[in-house]
Amino acid sequence: MILAALLLAQVGTAVDAEREFNRAAQTEGQWTAFRRYAADDAVMFTPKPVSAQAFLKDRKDPPLSVQWWPAES
């Protein structure tokens, strides 16, 4: 999924991609950002492996999104 984030965001580094994803999660919503950044064939473990897009399809964004800020990669 990180590779998909790098390709979609068209940013310089993995840290830049993670920061852009965090910004999207805060402004657009957590699951909305995951849907946008996850590749079509991405897999999530919930705890069993499932299609990320199928898992995320009908999820409503929580009032507060997860936050993180990578410093280096």
Side-chain angles (χ1 to χ4, degrees), residues 36-62:
R36 181 157 55 101
Y37 280 82
D40 291 339
D41 62 349
V43 174
M44 294 182 82
F45 294 85
T46 64
K48 295 181 179 181
V50 296
S51 161
Q53 292 297 345
F55 176 79
L56 296 166
K57 182 180 178 190
D58 296 321
R59 294 212 174 267
K60 296 194 184 310
D61 292 315

Side-chain angles (χ1 to χ4, degrees), residues 7-56:
L7 295 174
L8 287 175
Q10 295 184 4
V11 293
T13 69
V15 169
D16 294 335
E18 289 287 344
R19 289 177 177 164
E20 180 59 24
F21 178 82
N22 181 57
R23 185 207 58 77
Q26 302 313 306
T27 60
E28 301 168 20
Q30 176 175 311
W31 299 128
T32 300
F34 270 104
R35 278 189 292 274
R36 181 157 55 101
Y37 280 82
D40 291 339
D41 62 349
V43 174
M44 294 182 82
F45 294 85
T46 64
K48 295 181 179 181
V50 296
S51 161
Q53 292 297 345
F55 176 79
L56 296 166

